[in-house]
Amino acid sequence: MPMLTEIILSKDDESFERLDEGKWVNGRFDRNIRIDQPTHGVGQTHAHIYGRKGAEIGVVNLDGSSSHGTQCRLSDADAAALRDRGFTIKAGNIVEWVMLPTQPQLLFG
């Protein structure tokens, strides 16, 4: 049976983008963690963690910071699965989103 190794997308027949699907791994449930690569070379490898019924619990970056504005506490099994794949998960398995104050802006006119 043939197998696709790459999928190339084009909207305008002049530029293209390779479709990279996430890798599903087991955490506290079978295939409840999807590890995605950064989009368009920006950002970090990150993981979407799902619960038993498929609801997203949170998203964590490779460095342990939150992604997509989520906050969560990972189960021990989910945190261990991510650590085994090189993710830095804080003690207590807490993933936090920290909002920084607005930085001063300099306007040129």
Side-chain angles (χ1 to χ4, degrees):
M1 177 176 281
M3 178 181 261
L4 293 175
T5 57
E6 285 187 308
I7 299 175
I8 307 296
L9 305 173
S10 177
K11 293 181 183 178
D12 58 11
D13 292 329
E14 292 181 19
S15 62
F16 67 90
E17 180 178 337
R18 191 176 85 203
L19 178 63
D20 290 314
E21 292 293 321
K23 176 182 179 185
W24 288 95
V25 297
N26 297 336
R28 116 181 108 141
F29 307 115
D30 278 350
R31 296 173 45 95
N32 73 306
I33 300 172
R34 188 184 77 224
I35 299 175
D36 293 341
Q37 297 305 312
T39 306
H40 306 294
V42 178
Q44 298 182 50
T45 297
H46 59 281
H48 295 257
I49 298 90
Y50 296 91
R52 180 187 322 265
K53 296 182 180 180
E56 187 172 81
I57 294 169
V59 186
V60 60
N61 287 317
L62 188 64
D63 70 1
S65 63
S66 173
S67 185
H68 303 305
T70 63
Q71 298 183 72
C72 62
R73 183 173 191 273
L74 302 173
S75 72
D76 290 340
D78 291 341
L82 291 172
R83 286 184 185 110
D84 287 347
R85 285 160 181 82
F87 282 74
T88 303
I89 306 297
K90 295 180 190 175
N93 303 337
I94 302 293
V95 179
E96 297 178 294
W97 180 260
V98 178
M99 198 68 153
L100 298 175
T102 303
Q103 298 296 315
Q105 297 180 2
L106 180 60
L107 300 176
F108 296 97

